[in-house]
């Protein structure tokens, strides 16, 4: 599209097959011609709202920044839709450098990459911030980190190295040669560690029968919201980390919590009773509300000054009504001159006679 931020895709073919491979937060599409020609690779990053949608070509959704059209009749289009335009694509098959192994597809490599690099300065930070570092946790995002820490009852602002070094001792216990494979599996299921949940929690969504992350279907999105145990859940606390991202949690935030912030709780919004009578609002009340919404609240000093002015005006009105008339000669009507006329003549303008 004209507003898309990605590069032009130099690919043309009468018929081609699209295949996809994911790694962490990236997706690689391969456009392979069914006849002669070289395949074209594209690597996508989705930002906060990027997604793919298959729809009729005549009814393209808004913010469809890249479209692959079918040759059927009527044609359809596979669209990359990104409302906020944070997503992007690049030509070629290379994954973005600096991203670690995928928490889903490369679990063992992901785990080893974390545990062998605990001396890295990334683990000097709170565990909630370290979980968003794609160099070590490729695929974990904001809602996943909240769900993982909540299930393990780990304070989000506990030091990451403190949390992860404890996994080495758990690893030795699970490698006990006296344990049978079934007992090891049972132990892992009953006592999962943080790195295991980085794999199993997102896997729950992928293996779910419903497409829980499809925002176009209200029932599916409602199912996803019901799946959440912590993120955006009423009654949970929240704080902003040093990167400005909000982390949801329950209980104490931890020793590395940012100073000067108070923990906020998401309130439960009660649904209004549909049978309750609707209160009548008059036009005058609506005007008062609109004026109150526009005017900023007065400070105590401003209110005091306003009260003094009101009292002064009230005293002036009382004096005008009580004082007797002065015995001054009445000024003839022709001699009276308005301030406006005087001002005009002072400027050299002609007054109205």
């Amino acid at each position: 599209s004209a507003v898309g931020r990605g590069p032009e895709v130099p690919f043309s073919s009468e018929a081609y097959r699209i295949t996809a491979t994911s790694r962490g937060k990236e997706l690689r599409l391969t456009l392979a011609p069914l006849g002669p020609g070289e395949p074209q690779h594209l690597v996508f990053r989705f930002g906060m709202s990027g997604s793919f949608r298959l729809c009729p070509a005549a009814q393209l959704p808004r913010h469809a920044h890249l479209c692959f059209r079918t040759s059927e009749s009527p044609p359809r289009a596979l669209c990359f839709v990104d409302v906020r335009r944070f997503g992007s694509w690049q030509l070629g098959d290379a994954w973005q450098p600096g991203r670690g192994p995928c928490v889903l597809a490369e679990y063992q490599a992901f785990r080893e990459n974390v545990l062998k690099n605990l001396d890295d300065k990334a683990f000097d930070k709170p565990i909630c911030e370290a979980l968003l570092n794609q160099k070590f946790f490729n695929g974990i995002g904001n809602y996943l980190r909240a769900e993982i820490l909540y299930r393990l009852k780990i304070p989000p602002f506990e030091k990451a190295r403190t949390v992860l070094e404890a996994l080495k001792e758990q690893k030795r216990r699970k490698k006990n040669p006296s344990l049978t494979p079934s007992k090891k599996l049972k132990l892992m299921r009953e006592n999962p560690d943080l790195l295991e949940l980085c794999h199993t929690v997102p896997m729950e969504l992928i293996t779910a029968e419903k497409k829980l992350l499809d925002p176009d279907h209200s029932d599916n999105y409602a199912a996803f919201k019901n799946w959440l145990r912590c993120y955006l859940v009423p009654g949970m606390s929240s704080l902003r980390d040093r990167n400005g991202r909000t982390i949801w949690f329950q209980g104490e935030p931890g020793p590395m919590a940012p100073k000067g912030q108070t923990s906020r709780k998401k309130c439960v919004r009660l649904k209004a009773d549909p049978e309750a009578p609707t209160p009548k609002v008059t036009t005058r009340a609506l005007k008062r509300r609109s004026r109150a919404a526009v005017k900023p609240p007065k400070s105590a000093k401003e209110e005091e000054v306003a009260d003094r002015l009101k009292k002064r005006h009230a005293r002036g009105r009382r004096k005008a009504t009580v004082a007797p008339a002065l015995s001054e000669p009445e000024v003839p009507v022709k001699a009276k001159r308005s301030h406006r006329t005087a001002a005009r003549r002072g400027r050299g303008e002609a007054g109205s006679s």
Side-chain angles (χ1 to χ4, degrees):
S1 70
V3 295
R5 294 181 178 178
E8 292 288 342
V9 181
F11 178 80
S12 179
S13 178
E14 290 297 324
Y16 58 96
R17 178 178 288 109
I18 301 180
T19 56
T21 307
S22 65
R23 185 176 187 267
K25 287 191 172 186
E26 295 180 290
L27 182 77
R28 181 168 62 206
L29 291 189
T30 300
L31 316 179
L34 299 182
E38 294 296 322
Q40 174 69 59
H41 301 284
L42 302 169
V43 176
F44 287 81
R45 286 182 287 278
F46 295 93
M48 295 181 69
S49 60
S51 64
F52 278 96
R53 198 174 305 172
L54 184 64
C55 58
Q59 300 173 9
L60 294 181
R62 292 185 64 191
H63 307 287
H65 300 308
L66 190 64
C67 299
F68 306 96
R69 299 176 188 272
T70 67
S71 59
E72 61 190 335
S73 183
R76 290 183 295 170
L78 179 65
C79 307
F80 176 63
V81 182
D82 186 15
V83 176
R84 299 188 181 184
R85 292 197 294 170
F86 291 162
S88 63
W89 65 86
Q90 63 184 25
L91 304 178
D93 61 352
W95 303 112
Q96 186 179 27
R99 289 182 180 260
C102 176
V103 296
L104 288 171
E106 305 164 299
Y107 171 67
Q108 288 302 328
F110 148 71
R111 187 181 184 91
E112 291 171 8
N113 183 46
V114 172
L115 294 179
K116 75 180 182 183
N117 288 294
L118 289 182
D119 293 334
D120 193 283
K121 63 181 181 180
F123 299 108
D124 292 335
K125 298 180 179 181
I127 184 62
C128 66
E129 294 179 13
L131 282 170
L132 295 184
N133 189 331
Q134 301 301 294
K135 180 180 177 181
F136 298 104
F137 297 90
N138 188 10
I140 300 300
N142 203 22
Y143 80 90
L144 284 173
R145 68 170 177 170
E147 296 299 313
I148 291 165
L149 294 176
Y150 170 78
R151 294 191 187 192
L152 294 173
K153 307 302 178 190
I154 296 175
F157 291 95
E158 183 63 68
K159 192 173 185 178
R161 188 175 292 108
T162 302
V163 174
L164 294 167
E165 280 182 341
L167 303 188
K168 293 181 178 180
E169 179 61 30
Q170 294 181 22
K171 185 179 179 182
R172 281 194 287 270
R173 265 187 272 135
K174 290 178 181 179
K175 280 190 172 181
N176 188 340
S178 63
L179 294 176
T180 62
S182 60
K183 287 184 178 179
K184 286 182 181 178
L185 184 61
K186 183 180 179 182
L187 182 64
M188 185 179 72
R189 286 176 177 171
E190 292 177 352
N191 302 284
D193 62 38
L194 184 138
L195 298 181
E196 288 168 350
L197 286 187
C198 286
H199 173 75
T200 58
V201 172
M203 190 63 76
E204 287 180 13
L205 294 173
I206 293 173
T207 57
E209 291 183 6
K210 281 191 173 185
K211 297 176 181 177
L212 296 180
L213 292 174
D214 188 353
D216 290 335
H217 296 85
S218 58
D219 57 336
N220 290 342
Y221 191 65
F224 168 64
K225 288 174 69 176
N226 291 334
W227 174 86
L228 294 170
R229 303 184 192 179
C230 178
Y231 182 75
L232 294 177
V233 172
M236 295 295 165
S237 303
S238 67
L239 286 172
R240 288 187 180 274
D241 62 23
R242 289 183 297 180
N243 298 317
R245 304 289 299 275
T246 301
I247 174 69
W248 298 86
F249 61 94
Q250 186 179 52
E252 293 299 320
M256 298 183 74
K259 306 250 189 244
Q261 284 193 52
T262 54
S263 178
R264 299 170 296 164
K265 287 196 174 183
K266 187 174 177 65
C267 300
V268 181
R269 292 186 179 180
L270 299 177
K271 292 183 178 179
D273 184 1
E275 297 182 359
T278 305
K280 292 183 179 180
V281 182
T282 62
T283 308
R284 183 178 295 177
L286 286 173
K287 288 181 179 178
R288 282 199 203 115
R289 287 183 191 176
S290 61
R291 284 199 297 267
V294 172
K295 290 184 180 179
K298 292 184 178 179
S299 64
K301 189 174 181 180
E302 289 173 335
E303 289 182 356
E304 184 180 349
V305 172
D307 289 339
R308 287 178 183 173
L309 290 173
K310 286 180 182 177
K311 290 177 181 177
R312 190 177 299 170
H313 289 314
R315 285 198 298 270
R317 284 195 297 270
R318 283 198 298 271
K319 287 179 182 177
T321 54
V322 174
L326 297 176
S327 58
E328 289 184 358
E330 188 175 353
V331 181
V333 177
K334 289 184 179 180
K336 289 183 180 179
R337 182 180 297 173
S338 68
H339 292 292
R340 187 177 299 174
T341 306
R344 282 182 185 148
R345 292 185 179 176
R347 290 195 299 267
E349 299 176 10
S352 58
S353 56

